[in-house]
Amino acid sequence: MSALSDTDPKQFIADFFTDFTADLLRDEEDPAVIVDRYHTPDIIQVADGHVMDRDKLIAHTRPVRRNRPTSRMEVHEAQLSGDRLAARYTLHVRNRGTDLTIEVCFFGRFAPDGRMRRSHMLTRTVSAPGPKDAAPGAPGGDEEPS
């Protein structure tokens, strides 16, 4: 993991989450060791009002390991000011046969070594377009009125 000041903020946040997830899925290393590699001991994450401390974050790794989702992250913008990083990104996840697209607004603070110490995330799951969402005249869409 690189220090926060050593890289472009868009690349830093993409690498942070991608590498954290890859480490969780790579082998059977103790999840607490992996969480501690990427987060300070006093980590607090708030996602849509749900608060996770270190113990809850470690517990959260169990379903990730069990379900083994694949994901891709598109960082649209990221800004850095001292130890604070703000980013807007889209997370594309395939989990147990279901595709999800999640828009995220992220606000976080990081230690000088690049570990996360605080974060607040606001998320919105965007559904895949269905037949009623398709453009008129498009396959699966409503026909244009005559």
Side-chain angles (χ1 to χ4, degrees):
M1 172 178 18
S2 61
L4 184 59
S5 61
D6 292 345
T7 188
D8 171 68
K10 286 172 88 170
Q11 191 65 52
F12 176 86
I13 197 67
D15 289 347
F16 181 90
F17 285 115
T18 301
D19 293 349
F20 176 55
T21 303
D23 281 1
L24 283 173
L25 298 177
R26 182 172 297 121
D27 56 39
E28 294 303 315
E29 184 176 17
D30 180 358
V33 172
I34 297 169
V35 166
D36 290 344
R37 187 178 307 140
Y38 289 87
H39 303 84
T40 60
D42 60 343
I43 180 66
I44 298 293
Q45 284 190 346
V46 181
D48 299 325
H50 301 282
V51 180
M52 284 196 293
D53 61 9
R54 179 181 176 273
D55 291 337
K56 288 180 182 175
L57 186 56
I58 292 166
H60 184 67
T61 65
R62 289 186 192 104
V64 172
R65 280 189 159 172
R66 182 178 58 250
N67 295 329
R68 305 192 67 75
T70 58
S71 63
R72 179 177 58 83
M73 187 175 183
E74 259 181 279
V75 182
H76 306 293
E77 56 190 328
Q79 296 291 318
L80 178 65
S81 178
D83 68 346
R84 297 170 189 256
L85 188 144
R88 185 178 62 82
Y89 59 88
T90 302
L91 189 59
H92 303 275
V93 178
R94 181 158 185 85
N95 188 25
R96 296 171 40 194
T98 301
D99 292 319
L100 298 170
T101 300
I102 304 164
E103 295 177 343
V104 181
C105 292
F106 172 91
F107 306 92
R109 295 187 77 174
F110 292 82
D113 63 3
R115 291 183 300 155
M116 184 187 296
R117 68 170 24 125
R118 295 277 183 278
S119 72
H120 290 265
M121 291 174 268
L122 302 172
T123 69
R124 180 174 84 104
T125 301
V126 181
S127 61
K132 293 206 180 256
D133 298 323
D142 295 330
E143 293 301 317
E144 294 218 23
S146 338

